[in-house]
Coordinates of all heavy atoms in Angstrom, one line a residue:
M1 N 50.8 -173.2 29.3 CA 51.4 -171.9 29.5 C 50.4 -170.9 29.9 O 49.5 -170.7 29.2 CB 52.2 -171.5 28.3 CG 53.0 -170.3 28.5 SD 53.8 -170.1 27.2 CE 54.9 -169.4 26.6
A2 N 50.5 -170.4 31.1 CA 49.5 -169.4 31.6 C 49.8 -168.0 31.0 O 51.0 -167.6 31.0 CB 49.5 -169.4 33.1
M3 N 48.8 -167.3 30.6 CA 49.0 -165.9 30.1 C 48.8 -165.0 31.3 O 48.0 -165.1 32.1 CB 47.9 -165.6 29.1 CG 48.1 -166.3 27.8 SD 46.9 -165.8 26.5 CE 47.2 -164.1 26.4
A4 N 49.7 -164.0 31.3 CA 49.6 -163.0 32.3 C 48.6 -162.0 31.9 O 48.5 -161.6 30.7 CB 51.0 -162.3 32.6
T5 N 47.7 -161.6 32.8 CA 46.8 -160.6 32.5 C 47.0 -159.4 33.4 O 47.4 -159.5 34.5 CB 45.3 -161.1 32.8 OG1 45.2 -161.4 34.2 CG2 44.9 -162.3 31.9
S6 N 46.8 -158.3 32.8 CA 47.0 -157.0 33.6 C 45.6 -156.4 33.6 O 44.9 -156.3 32.6 CB 48.0 -156.2 32.9 OG 47.5 -155.4 31.9
R7 N 45.3 -155.9 34.8 CA 44.1 -155.1 35.0 C 44.4 -153.7 35.1 O 45.2 -153.3 35.9 CB 43.4 -155.6 36.2 CG 42.9 -157.0 36.1 CD 42.1 -157.4 37.4 NE 41.7 -158.8 37.2 CZ 41.0 -159.4 38.1 NH1 40.6 -158.8 39.2 NH2 40.6 -160.6 37.9
R8 N 43.7 -153.0 34.3 CA 44.0 -151.5 34.3 C 43.3 -150.8 35.4 O 42.1 -151.1 35.7 CB 43.4 -150.9 33.0 CG 43.8 -149.5 32.8 CD 43.3 -149.0 31.4 NE 43.1 -147.6 31.6 CZ 42.3 -146.9 30.8 NH1 41.6 -147.5 29.9 NH2 42.2 -145.6 30.9
Q9 N 44.1 -150.1 36.2 CA 43.5 -149.4 37.4 C 42.8 -148.2 36.9 O 43.2 -147.5 36.0 CB 44.6 -149.0 38.3 CG 45.3 -150.1 39.0 CD 44.4 -150.9 40.0 OE1 43.6 -150.3 40.6 NE2 44.5 -152.2 40.0
P10 N 41.6 -147.9 37.5 CA 40.9 -146.7 37.0 C 41.7 -145.5 37.4 O 42.4 -145.4 38.5 CB 39.6 -146.7 37.8 CG 39.7 -147.7 38.9 CD 41.0 -148.6 38.5
T11 N 41.7 -144.5 36.6 CA 42.4 -143.2 36.9 C 41.3 -142.2 37.2 O 40.1 -142.4 37.1 CB 43.1 -142.7 35.6 OG1 42.2 -142.5 34.6 CG2 44.2 -143.8 35.2
A12 N 41.8 -141.0 37.6 CA 40.8 -140.0 37.9 C 39.9 -139.6 36.8 O 38.8 -139.2 37.0 CB 41.6 -138.7 38.4
S13 N 40.4 -139.9 35.5 CA 39.6 -139.5 34.4 C 38.6 -140.6 34.1 O 37.7 -140.4 33.3 CB 40.4 -139.1 33.2 OG 41.2 -140.2 32.9
T14 N 38.8 -141.8 34.6 CA 37.9 -142.9 34.1 C 37.0 -143.4 35.3 O 35.9 -144.0 35.0 CB 38.7 -144.1 33.6 OG1 39.6 -144.6 34.6 CG2 39.5 -143.7 32.4
K15 N 37.4 -143.2 36.5 CA 36.5 -143.8 37.6 C 35.4 -142.8 37.9 O 35.6 -141.7 37.9 CB 37.3 -144.2 38.8 CG 37.9 -143.1 39.6 CD 38.6 -143.8 40.8 CE 39.5 -142.7 41.5 NZ 40.2 -143.3 42.6
E16 N 34.3 -143.4 38.3 CA 33.1 -142.6 38.6 C 33.3 -142.0 40.0 O 33.8 -142.6 40.9 CB 31.9 -143.5 38.6 CG 30.6 -142.7 38.8 CD 29.4 -143.6 38.7 OE1 29.4 -144.5 37.8 OE2 28.5 -143.4 39.5
T17 N 33.1 -140.7 40.1 CA 33.2 -140.0 41.3 C 31.9 -139.4 41.8 O 31.2 -138.9 41.0 CB 34.2 -138.8 41.1 OG1 35.4 -139.4 40.7 CG2 34.5 -138.1 42.4
Y18 N 31.6 -139.6 43.0 CA 30.4 -139.0 43.6 C 30.6 -138.3 44.9 O 31.5 -138.8 45.7 CB 29.4 -140.2 43.9 CG 28.2 -139.8 44.7 CD1 27.1 -139.1 44.0 CD2 28.1 -140.0 46.0 CE1 26.1 -138.7 44.7 CE2 27.0 -139.6 46.7 CZ 25.9 -138.9 46.1 OH 24.9 -138.5 46.8
R19 N 30.1 -137.2 45.1 CA 30.2 -136.5 46.3 C 28.8 -135.9 46.6 O 28.2 -135.2 45.8 CB 31.1 -135.3 46.2 CG 32.6 -135.6 46.2 CD 33.0 -136.3 47.5 NE 34.4 -136.5 47.6 CZ 35.0 -137.5 47.2 NH1 34.4 -138.4 46.5 NH2 36.4 -137.6 47.4
P20 N 28.3 -136.2 47.8 CA 27.0 -135.6 48.2 C 27.0 -134.1 48.1 O 28.0 -133.5 48.5 CB 26.8 -136.0 49.7 CG 27.8 -137.2 49.8 CD 28.9 -137.0 48.9
G21 N 26.0 -133.5 47.6 CA 25.9 -132.1 47.4 C 26.5 -131.5 46.2 O 26.4 -130.3 45.9
L22 N 27.2 -132.3 45.4 CA 27.8 -131.9 44.1 C 27.2 -132.6 42.9 O 27.0 -133.8 43.0 CB 29.3 -132.1 44.1 CG 30.2 -131.3 45.0 CD1 31.6 -131.8 45.0 CD2 30.1 -129.9 44.8
S23 N 26.8 -131.8 41.9 CA 26.3 -132.4 40.7 C 27.4 -133.0 39.9 O 28.6 -132.6 40.1 CB 25.5 -131.3 39.9 OG 26.4 -130.4 39.4
E24 N 27.1 -133.8 38.9 CA 28.1 -134.3 38.0 C 28.8 -133.2 37.3 O 30.0 -133.2 37.0 CB 27.5 -135.3 37.0 CG 27.1 -136.6 37.6 CD 26.5 -137.5 36.5 OE1 26.9 -137.4 35.3 OE2 25.6 -138.3 36.9
E25 N 28.0 -132.1 36.9 CA 28.6 -131.0 36.2 C 29.6 -130.2 37.1 O 30.7 -129.8 36.7 CB 27.5 -130.0 35.8 CG 28.0 -128.8 35.0 CD 26.8 -127.9 34.6 OE1 25.9 -128.5 33.9 OE2 26.8 -126.8 34.9
E26 N 29.3 -130.1 38.4 CA 30.2 -129.4 39.3 C 31.5 -130.2 39.5 O 32.6 -129.7 39.5 CB 29.5 -129.2 40.7 CG 28.4 -128.2 40.6 CD 27.6 -128.1 41.9 OE1 27.3 -129.2 42.4 OE2 27.2 -127.0 42.3
I27 N 31.3 -131.5 39.5 CA 32.5 -132.4 39.7 C 33.4 -132.3 38.5 O 34.6 -132.2 38.5 CB 32.1 -133.9 40.0 CG1 31.5 -134.0 41.4 CG2 33.3 -134.8 39.9 CD1 30.9 -135.3 41.7
E28 N 32.8 -132.2 37.3 CA 33.5 -132.1 36.0 C 34.2 -130.7 36.0 O 35.4 -130.6 35.6 CB 32.6 -132.2 34.8 CG 32.6 -133.6 34.2 CD 33.9 -134.3 34.0 OE1 34.8 -133.7 33.4 OE2 34.1 -135.3 34.6
E29 N 33.6 -129.7 36.5 CA 34.3 -128.3 36.6 C 35.5 -128.4 37.5 O 36.6 -127.9 37.2 CB 33.3 -127.3 37.0 CG 32.3 -126.9 36.0 CD 31.2 -126.0 36.5 OE1 31.3 -125.5 37.6 OE2 30.3 -125.7 35.8
I30 N 35.4 -129.1 38.6 CA 36.4 -129.3 39.6 C 37.6 -130.1 39.0 O 38.7 -129.8 39.1 CB 35.9 -129.9 40.9 CG1 35.0 -128.9 41.6 CG2 37.1 -130.3 41.8 CD1 34.2 -129.6 42.8
R31 N 37.2 -131.1 38.2 CA 38.2 -131.9 37.5 C 39.0 -131.1 36.5 O 40.2 -131.2 36.3 CB 37.5 -133.1 36.7 CG 38.5 -134.1 36.1 CD 37.9 -135.2 35.4 NE 36.9 -135.9 36.1 CZ 37.1 -136.9 37.0 NH1 38.4 -137.2 37.3 NH2 36.2 -137.5 37.6
E32 N 38.3 -130.1 35.8 CA 39.0 -129.3 34.8 C 40.0 -128.4 35.6 O 41.1 -128.2 35.1 CB 38.0 -128.4 34.1 CG 37.2 -129.2 33.1 CD 36.1 -128.4 32.4 OE1 36.1 -127.1 32.5 OE2 35.1 -129.0 31.8
A33 N 39.6 -127.9 36.8 CA 40.6 -127.1 37.6 C 41.7 -128.0 38.0 O 42.9 -127.6 37.9 CB 39.9 -126.5 38.8
F34 N 41.5 -129.2 38.4 CA 42.5 -130.2 38.8 C 43.5 -130.4 37.7 O 44.7 -130.3 37.9 CB 41.9 -131.5 39.3 CG 42.9 -132.5 39.6 CD1 43.5 -132.6 40.8 CD2 43.3 -133.4 38.7 CE1 44.4 -133.5 41.2 CE2 44.3 -134.4 39.0 CZ 44.8 -134.5 40.2
N35 N 42.9 -130.5 36.5 CA 43.8 -130.8 35.3 C 44.7 -129.6 35.0 O 45.8 -129.8 34.4 CB 43.0 -131.2 34.1 CG 42.3 -132.6 34.3 OD1 42.8 -133.4 35.1 ND2 41.3 -132.8 33.6
L36 N 44.2 -128.4 35.3 CA 45.1 -127.2 35.1 C 46.3 -127.2 36.1 O 47.4 -126.8 35.7 CB 44.3 -125.9 35.3 CG 43.2 -125.6 34.3 CD1 42.4 -124.4 34.7 CD2 43.9 -125.4 32.9
F37 N 46.1 -127.7 37.3 CA 47.2 -127.9 38.2 C 48.1 -129.0 37.8 O 49.3 -128.9 38.0 CB 46.6 -128.1 39.7 CG 46.1 -126.9 40.4 CD1 44.9 -126.4 40.0 CD2 46.8 -126.3 41.4 CE1 44.4 -125.3 40.7 CE2 46.3 -125.3 42.1 CZ 45.1 -124.7 41.7
D38 N 47.5 -130.1 37.4 CA 48.3 -131.3 37.0 C 48.9 -131.2 35.7 O 48.5 -131.8 34.7 CB 47.4 -132.5 37.1 CG 48.0 -133.8 36.7 OD1 49.3 -134.0 36.8 OD2 47.3 -134.8 36.3
T39 N 49.9 -130.4 35.5 CA 50.5 -130.0 34.2 C 51.1 -131.1 33.5 O 51.2 -131.1 32.2 CB 51.4 -128.8 34.4 OG1 52.5 -129.2 35.3 CG2 50.8 -127.6 34.9
D40 N 51.6 -132.2 34.2 CA 52.3 -133.3 33.5 C 51.3 -134.4 33.2 O 51.7 -135.4 32.6 CB 53.5 -133.8 34.3 CG 53.1 -134.4 35.6 OD1 51.9 -134.5 36.0 OD2 54.1 -134.8 36.3
G41 N 50.0 -134.2 33.6 CA 49.0 -135.3 33.2 C 49.2 -136.6 34.0 O 48.6 -137.6 33.6
S42 N 49.8 -136.6 35.1 CA 50.1 -137.8 35.9 C 48.9 -138.3 36.7 O 49.0 -139.4 37.2 CB 51.3 -137.6 36.8 OG 51.0 -136.6 37.8
G43 N 47.9 -137.4 36.9 CA 46.8 -137.8 37.7 C 47.0 -137.3 39.2 O 46.1 -137.6 40.0
T44 N 48.1 -136.7 39.4 CA 48.4 -136.1 40.8 C 49.0 -134.7 40.6 O 49.6 -134.4 39.6 CB 49.3 -137.0 41.6 OG1 50.6 -137.1 41.0 CG2 48.7 -138.4 41.9
I45 N 48.9 -133.9 41.7 CA 49.5 -132.7 41.8 C 50.7 -132.8 42.7 O 50.5 -133.1 43.9 CB 48.5 -131.6 42.3 CG1 47.3 -131.5 41.3 CG2 49.3 -130.2 42.4 CD1 46.2 -130.6 41.9
D46 N 51.9 -132.6 42.2 CA 53.1 -132.7 43.0 C 53.5 -131.3 43.6 O 52.9 -130.3 43.2 CB 54.2 -133.4 42.3 CG 54.7 -132.7 41.1 OD1 54.6 -131.4 41.0 OD2 55.2 -133.3 40.1
P47 N 54.5 -131.3 44.5 CA 54.9 -130.0 45.0 C 55.3 -128.9 43.9 O 54.9 -127.8 44.1 CB 56.1 -130.3 45.9 CG 55.8 -131.7 46.3 CD 55.2 -132.4 45.1
K48 N 56.0 -129.3 42.9 CA 56.4 -128.4 41.8 C 55.1 -127.8 41.2 O 55.1 -126.6 40.9 CB 57.3 -129.1 40.9 CG 57.7 -128.2 39.7 CD 58.6 -129.0 38.7 CE 58.9 -128.1 37.6 NZ 58.9 -128.8 36.3
E49 N 54.2 -128.7 40.9 CA 53.0 -128.2 40.1 C 52.1 -127.3 41.0 O 51.6 -126.3 40.6 CB 52.1 -129.4 39.7 CG 52.8 -130.2 38.6 CD 52.1 -131.5 38.3 OE1 51.7 -132.2 39.3 OE2 52.0 -131.9 37.2
L50 N 52.1 -127.6 42.3 CA 51.3 -126.7 43.2 C 52.0 -125.4 43.4 O 51.4 -124.3 43.3 CB 51.1 -127.4 44.6 CG 50.3 -126.6 45.6 CD1 48.9 -126.3 45.1 CD2 50.3 -127.4 46.9
R51 N 53.3 -125.4 43.5 CA 54.0 -124.1 43.5 C 53.8 -123.2 42.3 O 53.5 -122.1 42.4 CB 55.6 -124.4 43.7 CG 56.3 -123.0 43.8 CD 57.9 -123.3 43.9 NE 58.2 -124.1 45.1 CZ 58.6 -125.3 45.0 NH1 58.7 -126.0 43.9 NH2 58.9 -126.0 46.1
E52 N 53.9 -123.9 41.1 CA 53.7 -123.1 39.9 C 52.3 -122.6 39.8 O 52.0 -121.4 39.4 CB 54.0 -124.0 38.7 CG 55.4 -124.4 38.5 CD 55.6 -125.5 37.4 OE1 54.7 -126.0 36.8 OE2 56.8 -125.8 37.2
A53 N 51.3 -123.4 40.2 CA 49.9 -122.9 40.2 C 49.7 -121.7 41.2 O 49.1 -120.7 40.8 CB 48.9 -124.0 40.6
M54 N 50.3 -121.8 42.4 CA 50.2 -120.7 43.4 C 50.8 -119.5 42.9 O 50.3 -118.4 43.0 CB 50.8 -121.2 44.7 CG 50.1 -122.3 45.4 SD 48.3 -122.0 45.8 CE 48.6 -120.8 47.0
E55 N 52.0 -119.6 42.3 CA 52.7 -118.4 41.7 C 51.9 -117.8 40.6 O 51.9 -116.6 40.4 CB 54.1 -118.8 41.3 CG 55.0 -119.1 42.5 CD 56.4 -119.6 42.2 OE1 56.6 -119.9 41.0 OE2 57.2 -119.7 43.1
S56 N 51.3 -118.6 39.7 CA 50.5 -118.1 38.6 C 49.3 -117.4 39.1 O 48.8 -116.5 38.4 CB 50.1 -119.2 37.7 OG 49.1 -120.0 38.2
L57 N 48.9 -117.7 40.3 CA 47.7 -117.0 40.9 C 48.2 -115.7 41.7 O 47.3 -115.0 42.3 CB 46.9 -117.9 41.8 CG 46.2 -119.1 41.1 CD1 45.7 -120.0 42.1 CD2 45.1 -118.5 40.2
G58 N 49.5 -115.5 41.7 CA 50.0 -114.3 42.4 C 50.4 -114.5 43.8 O 50.7 -113.5 44.5
Y59 N 50.5 -115.7 44.2 CA 50.9 -116.0 45.6 C 52.4 -116.4 45.7 O 52.9 -117.0 44.8 CB 50.1 -117.2 46.2 CG 48.7 -116.9 46.4 CD1 47.7 -117.3 45.5 CD2 48.2 -116.2 47.5 CE1 46.4 -117.0 45.7 CE2 46.9 -115.9 47.7 CZ 46.0 -116.3 46.8 OH 44.6 -116.1 46.9
E60 N 53.1 -115.9 46.7 CA 54.5 -116.3 46.9 C 54.5 -117.6 47.6 O 53.9 -117.8 48.7 CB 55.2 -115.3 47.8 CG 56.7 -115.6 47.9 CD 57.4 -114.6 48.8 OE1 57.0 -113.4 48.9 OE2 58.4 -115.0 49.4
A61 N 55.0 -118.6 46.9 CA 54.9 -120.0 47.4 C 56.2 -120.5 47.9 O 57.1 -120.8 47.1 CB 54.4 -120.9 46.3
K62 N 56.4 -120.5 49.2 CA 57.6 -121.0 49.8 C 57.5 -122.5 50.0 O 56.4 -123.1 50.1 CB 57.9 -120.4 51.2 CG 58.1 -118.9 51.1 CD 58.3 -118.3 52.4 CE 58.5 -116.7 52.2 NZ 58.8 -116.1 53.5
N63 N 58.6 -123.2 50.0 CA 58.6 -124.7 50.1 C 57.9 -125.2 51.3 O 57.1 -126.1 51.2 CB 60.0 -125.2 50.1 CG 60.7 -125.3 48.7 OD1 60.0 -125.2 47.7 ND2 62.0 -125.5 48.7
Q64 N 58.1 -124.6 52.4 CA 57.5 -125.0 53.6 C 55.9 -124.9 53.5 O 55.2 -125.8 53.9 CB 57.9 -124.1 54.8 CG 57.3 -124.5 56.1 CD 57.8 -123.6 57.3 OE1 58.5 -122.7 57.1 NE2 57.4 -123.9 58.5
T65 N 55.4 -123.8 52.9 CA 54.0 -123.6 52.7 C 53.4 -124.6 51.7 O 52.4 -125.2 52.0 CB 53.7 -122.2 52.1 OG1 54.3 -121.2 53.0 CG2 52.2 -122.0 51.9
I66 N 54.1 -124.9 50.6 CA 53.7 -126.0 49.7 C 53.6 -127.3 50.3 O 52.6 -128.0 50.1 CB 54.7 -126.0 48.4 CG1 54.7 -124.6 47.7 CG2 54.4 -127.1 47.5 CD1 53.3 -124.2 47.1
Y67 N 54.6 -127.7 51.0 CA 54.6 -129.1 51.6 C 53.6 -129.2 52.7 O 53.0 -130.2 52.9 CB 56.0 -129.4 52.1 CG 56.9 -129.8 51.0 CD1 57.8 -128.9 50.4 CD2 56.9 -131.1 50.4 CE1 58.7 -129.2 49.4 CE2 57.7 -131.4 49.3 CZ 58.6 -130.5 48.8 OH 59.4 -130.9 47.7
R68 N 53.3 -128.1 53.4 CA 52.3 -128.1 54.5 C 50.9 -128.2 53.8 O 50.1 -128.9 54.3 CB 52.4 -126.8 55.3 CG 51.3 -126.6 56.2 CD 51.7 -127.1 57.6 NE 50.6 -127.1 58.5 CZ 50.7 -126.5 59.7 NH1 51.7 -125.7 60.0 NH2 49.6 -126.5 60.5
M69 N 50.7 -127.5 52.7 CA 49.5 -127.6 52.0 C 49.2 -129.1 51.6 O 48.1 -129.6 51.7 CB 49.4 -126.7 50.9 CG 49.3 -125.2 51.2 SD 49.5 -124.1 49.8 CE 47.9 -124.4 49.0
I70 N 50.2 -129.6 51.0 CA 50.1 -131.0 50.5 C 49.8 -132.0 51.7 O 48.9 -132.8 51.6 CB 51.3 -131.4 49.7 CG1 51.2 -130.7 48.3 CG2 51.3 -133.0 49.4 CD1 52.4 -130.9 47.4
S71 N 50.6 -131.9 52.7 CA 50.4 -132.7 53.8 C 49.0 -132.6 54.5 O 48.4 -133.6 55.0 CB 51.5 -132.6 54.9 OG 51.3 -131.4 55.6
D72 N 48.4 -131.4 54.4 CA 47.1 -131.2 55.0 C 46.0 -131.9 54.2 O 45.0 -132.2 54.6 CB 46.8 -129.7 55.1 CG 47.5 -129.0 56.2 OD1 48.1 -129.7 57.0 OD2 47.5 -127.7 56.1
I73 N 46.2 -132.1 52.9 CA 45.3 -132.7 51.9 C 45.5 -134.1 51.6 O 44.6 -134.9 51.4 CB 45.3 -131.8 50.6 CG1 44.9 -130.4 50.9 CG2 44.4 -132.5 49.6 CD1 45.2 -129.4 49.8
D74 N 46.8 -134.5 51.6 CA 47.2 -135.8 51.2 C 46.9 -136.9 52.2 O 47.7 -137.2 53.1 CB 48.8 -135.8 51.0 CG 49.3 -137.1 50.5 OD1 48.6 -137.9 49.9 OD2 50.5 -137.3 50.8
R75 N 45.8 -137.6 52.1 CA 45.3 -138.6 53.0 C 46.1 -139.9 52.9 O 46.2 -140.6 53.8 CB 43.8 -138.9 52.8 CG 42.9 -137.8 53.2 CD 41.5 -138.3 53.0 NE 41.3 -139.0 51.9 CZ 40.6 -138.7 50.8 NH1 40.1 -137.5 50.7 NH2 40.4 -139.5 49.8
D76 N 46.6 -140.2 51.7 CA 47.2 -141.5 51.5 C 48.7 -141.5 51.6 O 49.4 -142.5 51.6 CB 46.9 -142.2 50.2 CG 47.2 -141.3 49.0 OD1 48.0 -140.3 49.1 OD2 46.8 -141.6 47.8
G77 N 49.3 -140.3 52.0 CA 50.7 -140.2 52.3 C 51.7 -140.3 51.1 O 52.8 -140.5 51.3
T78 N 51.2 -140.1 49.9 CA 52.1 -140.2 48.7 C 52.9 -138.9 48.5 O 53.9 -138.9 47.7 CB 51.2 -140.4 47.5 OG1 50.4 -139.3 47.3 CG2 50.5 -141.7 47.5
G79 N 52.6 -137.8 49.2 CA 53.3 -136.6 48.9 C 52.8 -135.8 47.7 O 53.4 -134.8 47.3
E80 N 51.7 -136.3 47.2 CA 51.0 -135.7 46.1 C 49.5 -135.7 46.3 O 49.0 -136.4 47.2 CB 51.3 -136.4 44.8 CG 52.8 -136.5 44.4 CD 53.1 -137.3 43.2 OE1 52.3 -138.2 42.9 OE2 54.1 -137.0 42.6
I81 N 48.8 -134.9 45.6 CA 47.4 -134.7 45.7 C 46.7 -135.4 44.5 O 46.9 -135.0 43.4 CB 47.0 -133.2 45.8 CG1 47.7 -132.6 47.0 CG2 45.5 -133.1 45.9 CD1 47.5 -131.0 47.0
D82 N 45.9 -136.4 44.7 CA 45.2 -137.0 43.6 C 43.7 -136.3 43.5 O 43.4 -135.5 44.4 CB 45.1 -138.5 43.8 CG 44.3 -139.0 45.0 OD1 43.4 -138.3 45.4 OD2 44.6 -140.1 45.5
F83 N 43.0 -136.7 42.5 CA 41.7 -136.0 42.3 C 40.7 -136.2 43.5 O 40.1 -135.2 43.9 CB 41.1 -136.5 41.0 CG 39.8 -135.7 40.7 CD1 39.8 -134.4 40.5 CD2 38.6 -136.4 40.8 CE1 38.6 -133.7 40.2 CE2 37.4 -135.8 40.6 CZ 37.4 -134.4 40.3
E84 N 40.7 -137.4 44.0 CA 39.8 -137.6 45.2 C 40.1 -136.7 46.3 O 39.2 -136.2 47.0 CB 39.8 -139.1 45.6 CG 39.3 -140.1 44.6 CD 37.8 -139.9 44.3 OE1 37.1 -139.7 45.3 OE2 37.4 -140.0 43.2
E85 N 41.4 -136.5 46.6 CA 41.8 -135.6 47.7 C 41.5 -134.2 47.3 O 41.1 -133.4 48.1 CB 43.3 -135.8 48.0 CG 43.7 -137.2 48.6 CD 45.1 -137.6 48.5 OE1 45.8 -137.0 47.6 OE2 45.5 -138.4 49.2
F86 N 41.8 -133.8 46.1 CA 41.5 -132.5 45.6 C 40.0 -132.1 45.7 O 39.6 -131.0 46.1 CB 41.9 -132.3 44.1 CG 41.9 -131.0 43.6 CD1 42.9 -130.1 43.7 CD2 40.9 -130.6 42.8 CE1 42.9 -128.8 43.2 CE2 40.8 -129.3 42.2 CZ 41.8 -128.4 42.4
L87 N 39.2 -133.1 45.4 CA 37.7 -133.0 45.4 C 37.3 -132.7 46.9 O 36.3 -132.0 47.1 CB 37.1 -134.2 44.9 CG 35.6 -134.1 44.5 CD1 35.3 -133.0 43.6 CD2 35.1 -135.4 43.9
D88 N 37.9 -133.3 47.9 CA 37.6 -133.1 49.2 C 37.9 -131.7 49.7 O 37.3 -131.3 50.8 CB 38.3 -134.1 50.2 CG 37.8 -135.5 50.0 OD1 36.6 -135.7 49.5 OD2 38.5 -136.5 50.3
V89 N 38.7 -131.0 49.1 CA 39.1 -129.6 49.5 C 37.9 -128.7 49.1 O 37.4 -127.9 49.7 CB 40.3 -129.1 48.8 CG1 40.6 -127.6 49.1 CG2 41.5 -130.0 49.1

């Protein structure tokens, strides 16, 4: 009887991230900002979370604007922003 094994996929909090020109400390600071946007802890920023973050910063966030922002950043087409995409901004 074969045992099924599951491999845990690395998450934004566990995989090593490197960006030329950014120190590990700077990447951690950016991760902390990302986590403030990612209010449900899913590892991605969805349209609702982005709208709430924009409104908390004093911006009027219309649906069209929110979806456009996400589409401009979302390289993998999920409709959400993951940490790697956020870091590229």
Side-chain angles (χ1 to χ4, degrees):
M1 184 174 191
M3 289 183 61
T5 60
S6 81
R7 293 185 181 181
R8 187 174 154 205
Q9 293 294 320
T11 62
S13 61
T14 61
K15 71 179 169 183
E16 187 175 319
T17 302
Y18 171 76
R19 286 294 187 279
L22 291 177
S23 69
E24 288 181 31
E25 184 177 301
E26 290 169 321
I27 291 172
E28 267 314 302
E29 289 174 8
I30 295 168
R31 186 181 308 279
E32 289 174 16
F34 176 85
N35 290 339
L36 291 174
F37 283 74
D38 178 24
T39 57
D40 66 2
S42 66
T44 61
I45 300 169
D46 63 30
K48 179 182 177 218
E49 291 169 320
L50 183 56
R51 180 182 302 107
E52 290 171 358
M54 296 299 292
E55 289 174 353
S56 74
L57 294 170
Y59 294 97
E60 183 179 336
K62 296 181 180 180
N63 280 346
Q64 181 179 5
T65 304
I66 295 299
Y67 285 99
R68 173 94 188 238
M69 290 173 69
I70 289 177
S71 71
D72 288 347
I73 299 167
D74 179 27
R75 292 186 320 253
D76 59 10
T78 61
E80 299 177 333
I81 302 168
D82 63 29
F83 181 68
E84 293 294 319
E85 294 164 336
F86 188 82
L87 193 55
D88 288 340
V89 176

